Every structure is written in structure tokens, then in C-alpha cells.
Amino acid sequence: MVQALKRDFADLYNDKNIMLSATHTHSGPGGYAYETLFNFTVKGFYKDNYDTIVNGIVESIKRAHNNLEPGDILINEGTLSNSSFNRSKEAYKKNPLSERQKYKFDTDKSMTLLKLINAEG
């Protein structure tokens, strides 16, 4: 990925200033990980799947770079009530009391909102 970005941006983007963050999915393609266990259910590594994902990430970074504009970053934190629940209260209750007393709820109800606003609002 870094090598692909070098073609357009020289050394602007590198291993020290690119961070990818992702959650998991139950409906995505398989066969793109280097670890055998993650590819087990699809019977191996598929270079086309891997290349498609990498190319999509590279294209997203290029689009973001080419659409940079002045703006503001706003951040807010709050508590969302009635928005989530613990799927296993019985399992949660098996945590030590000292651990459970650290939290007000049995699930994390905090939310952090990051809002990007351009000069036009």
C-alpha cells in the first residue's frame, strides 16, 4: 500500500503517518489475510481479494488527499441511554465486584463524536 502511494505522493505518506483502523465484519470477502487461520474457511489466500482491498484503501487515501480543504474539527462526548445492551448479563456478573464497580453501566454507553466541518459549514 505504501509503495502504491509513493507513485503519486513520493515520501509524503509512509509507515509512520498512515494508520488503518477497522472493525470486523461477518459479510466481507475472505482469503485476504496472511494468516492461515483467517483464510481457512475460504480454503486459502486469494490475491485478487487482497489486491481489491488494498487498491480500495489506496484510492480512498488519494481521494481524501485530493479533496483536502480548510475546516474545523469538533469533538463532543456524551452518554447514550437506551442505545445498547449487554448480550450476556450473567457472564458480566461473573466479573469481580471490584471490576464491575468501576463502571456505572454493564455496557459502555459513552459516545465520542468527531465532526469535520469545511469553511462553508
Side-chain angles (χ1 to χ4, degrees):
M1 182 179 67
V2 173
Q3 294 303 317
L5 290 169
K6 281 186 178 211
R7 288 192 288 268
D8 292 318
F9 302 107
D11 291 325
L12 179 62
Y13 297 109
N14 58 63
D15 290 333
K16 293 183 179 180
N17 65 8
I18 296 174
M19 181 182 78
L20 298 179
S21 177
T23 62
H24 73 283
T25 178
H26 290 265
S27 61
Y32 59 87
Y34 285 113
E35 294 82 7
T36 303
L37 182 61
F38 293 120
N39 297 325
F40 182 74
T41 59
V42 294
K43 300 179 181 167
F45 178 81
Y46 293 93
K47 187 166 179 357
D48 287 345
N49 287 7
Y50 174 83
D51 288 343
T52 299
I53 292 169
V54 170
N55 292 339
I57 293 168
V58 169
E59 183 61 28
S60 295
I61 292 171
K62 287 180 183 180
R63 286 182 186 180
H65 176 90
N66 292 328
N67 287 297
L68 286 173
E69 60 181 290
D72 293 306
I73 301 173
L74 306 175
I75 189 167
N76 196 7
E77 295 181 57
T79 302
L80 293 179
S81 300
N82 300 318
S83 61
S84 60
F85 63 93
N86 189 322
R87 292 185 290 175
S88 179
K89 285 191 178 197
E90 290 306 312
Y92 179 78
K93 288 178 184 176
K94 292 181 180 179
N95 288 327
L97 181 60
S98 60
E99 173 71 16
R100 289 182 282 139
Q101 288 178 331
K102 293 179 183 179
Y103 310 102
K104 184 175 180 181
F105 304 106
D106 61 2
T107 57
D108 185 0
K109 302 213 182 260
S110 62
M111 179 180 158
T112 302
L113 174 68
L114 184 66
K115 186 174 182 180
L116 308 172
I117 301 176
N118 68 8
E120 287 84 40

